[in-house]
Amino acid sequence: MASSDTRTQLLDAAERLFAERGYRGTSVRAITELAGANLAAVGYHFGSKAQLLAAVVRRVIEPINAAQCAGLDRLLARTSQPRVAELVEAFAGPLFDVITEGDESSAQTSQLIMTILSDPAEEMRSWNGPVEDLVRDRYLAEFQRALPDLSPPELWFRMRGLLAVTAVDRVEISHRRPVTGPSPAAGEESRRFAITFLAAAMSAPPTRT
Amino acid sequence: MASSDTRTQLLDAAERLFAERGYRGTSVRAITELAGANLAAVGYHFGSKAQLLAAVVRRVIEPINAAQCAGLDRLLARTSQPRVAELVEAFAGPLFDVITEGDESSAQTSQLIMTILSDPAEEMRSWNGPVEDLVRDRYLAEFQRALPDLSPPELWFRMRGLLAVTAVDRVEISHRRPVTGPSPAAGEESRRFAITFLAAAMSAPPTRT
DNA sequence: GTCTATAGAACGATAGAC
DNA sequence: GTCTATCGTTCTATAGAC
């Protein structure tokens, strides 16, 4: 039972550090120190650093995935042809919502997702399972129904754009903000800005060929 | 003169490897091997791995920056109030165009930019100079003029969304494409899809508060 | 389940010969 | 300007005591 506690502490510490510093930028030593555990604990509980990453990602992704799935079910129960904006909200909303509420945690999850999406390390590509693919394919099909004029390659591009924007909290334009600086959006505001931005983007007429 | 040649080979090799594997995932040894140079060459020509990164990024960013600047100048010479779609094209277009044409090179540049934008490593944050800030601030001001109803925080969010989508070629939704798979967009097609996507997104009415 | 201790490999940097 | 050789550090993983 102290076991399960250490396991959770390791997951928490790893989630935070992977988000802040990336996979390669985080050492097992840093994780175990932050978790108040022994260096050997990662090996004992997870087998390796890569398997710890997989466990972290699964823990973050699963509730998001379930929410995306439930959101689509709810939408389809109400109307046979959801609007694009509704699909965007159902898909992207859960990516901004957080299990543990609070702004730092929200930004952390967003950062972790972006880290996963953009990290070229091979270990980062192994989290994706059939469940994630299924949900994505369901949304893909619904977007295609809502946007029948869009070619499959352009729809695919927009799906990726949707994900990229979702992880926008990781993107920093520069380390200096403008002199007459607008303060950045945070938390709930980010979420609503993203829905507006993405609903318009997804609804755009097809690029003429 | 062999010096300048080795220098260039190192820059080429580093650009490719940083894009493919990230900064931390690329060793100096891998760079010098690909460049056909000696391990000590990086130290001699650039001082350190971090300074080599800075040189690589500068070489990639500078022509993009110049093109963004020239594009805005051209636009403002023609009309005092450019349309949002024109601003998007002038800003995002150069990020898709490539110095050395060809599809692999284009994807490589895009990947490198995304790697830079999303890598949490401290070294990745030091490339940004006053020139980049100036260009960004000019576009920010023009977008604000074209979209007077947008609050500064929302405009700032959209600028970051613009950049995030620009680097979409790095984002992979999953390692498996859908069974009825649309082939992904590449090169010039990516560029045009992005302009459509982003012009609509930037032009969206403000999020109601 | 937790710890110490260490193996074994890879890394960035650099001194010094040529 | 290029090379060899190596220093010192840091890393993940694990054997074995408790």
Side-chain angles (χ1 to χ4, degrees), chain A residues 1-96:
Chain A
M1 46 182 62
S3 133
S4 127
D5 197 51
T6 296
R7 225 188 107 93
T8 304
Q9 300 271 29
L10 286 172
L11 283 169
D12 290 343
E15 179 176 334
R16 170 153 159 209
L17 292 177
F18 286 151
E20 281 176 10
R21 315 180 191 173
Y23 177 73
R24 297 195 119 112
T26 304
S27 68
V28 174
R29 277 171 168 81
I31 294 167
T32 51
E33 261 169 49
L34 182 61
N38 186 272
L39 173 61
V42 164
Y44 178 79
H45 286 282
F46 298 95
S48 70
K49 182 187 173 185
Q51 285 171 280
L52 169 58
L53 169 71
V56 166
V57 174
R58 259 195 306 276
R59 195 178 63 156
V60 170
I61 290 288
E62 258 161 27
I64 291 175
N65 213 253
Q68 287 175 325
C69 199
L72 186 54
D73 289 339
R74 219 176 307 122
L75 219 50
L76 288 175
R78 193 159 55 71
T79 163
S80 67
Q81 179 56 75
R83 285 177 291 116
V84 172
E86 293 171 322
L87 288 170
V88 166
E89 176 136 30
F91 185 85
L95 284 156
F96 283 91

Side-chain angles (χ1 to χ4, degrees), chain B residues 139-208:
Chain B
Y139 272 95
L140 212 50
E142 286 306 320
F143 273 116
Q144 184 70 83
R145 279 213 307 141
L147 300 160
D149 293 342
L150 220 56
S151 73
E154 184 155 20
L155 179 62
W156 184 249
F157 177 93
R158 291 191 188 180
M159 270 311 260
R160 289 159 77 204
L162 208 165
L163 260 186
V165 171
T166 276
V168 75
D169 281 348
R170 159 61 85 201
V171 175
E172 270 315 319
I173 295 184
S174 91
H175 56 277
R176 280 184 288 270
R177 240 169 284 127
V179 194
T180 60
S183 47
E188 176 62 15
E189 204 177 29
S190 245
R191 180 186 193 278
R192 290 169 51 240
F193 288 168
I195 306 282
T196 306
F197 187 91
L198 288 170
M202 294 299 288
S203 306
T207 301
R208 65 157 200 76

Side-chain angles (χ1 to χ4, degrees), chain B:
Chain B
M1 46 181 63
S3 133
S4 126
D5 197 52
T6 296
R7 226 188 106 93
T8 305
Q9 299 271 29
L10 286 172
L11 283 169
D12 290 342
E15 178 175 335
R16 171 155 159 208
L17 292 178
F18 285 152
E20 280 176 10
R21 316 180 191 173
Y23 176 73
R24 297 195 119 112
T26 303
S27 68
V28 174
R29 281 170 170 81
I31 294 167
T32 51
E33 262 169 48
L34 181 61
N38 186 270
L39 172 61
V42 164
Y44 178 78
H45 286 283
F46 298 95
S48 70
K49 183 187 175 186
Q51 285 170 279
L52 169 57
L53 169 72
V56 166
V57 174
R58 259 194 307 276
R59 196 178 63 155
V60 170
I61 290 288
E62 257 161 28
I64 290 175
N65 214 254
Q68 287 175 325
C69 198
L72 186 54
D73 288 338
R74 219 176 309 123
L75 219 50
L76 289 174
R78 193 159 57 70
T79 164
S80 66
Q81 178 57 73
R83 284 178 291 117
V84 172
E86 292 172 323
L87 288 171
V88 166
E89 175 136 30
F91 185 84
L95 284 156
F96 283 91
D97 300 333
V98 222
I99 318 101
T100 328
E101 284 296 346
D103 275 357
E104 354 76 60
S105 179
S106 163
Q108 191 187 105
T109 303
S110 171
Q111 279 185 16
L112 182 65
I113 290 169
M114 185 61 155
T115 298
I116 294 157
L117 286 176
S118 64
D119 198 307
E122 200 47 55
E123 292 92 333
M124 301 305 236
R125 305 274 158 220
S126 49
W127 59 270
N128 187 278
V131 183
E132 286 77 22
D133 285 342
L134 180 65
V135 174
R136 182 207 56 194
D137 287 352
R138 285 187 65 201
Y139 272 95
L140 212 50
E142 286 306 320
F143 273 116
Q144 184 70 83
R145 279 213 307 141
L147 300 160
D149 293 342
L150 220 56
S151 73
E154 184 155 20
L155 179 62
W156 184 249
F157 177 93
R158 291 191 188 180
M159 270 311 260
R160 289 159 77 204
L162 208 165
L163 260 186
V165 171
T166 276
V168 75
D169 281 348
R170 159 61 85 201
V171 175
E172 270 315 319
I173 295 184
S174 91
H175 56 277
R176 280 184 288 270
R177 240 169 284 127
V179 194
T180 60
S183 47
E188 176 62 15
E189 204 177 29
S190 245
R191 180 186 193 278
R192 290 169 51 240
F193 288 168
I195 306 282
T196 306
F197 187 91
L198 288 170
M202 294 299 288
S203 306
T207 301
R208 65 157 200 76
T209 52

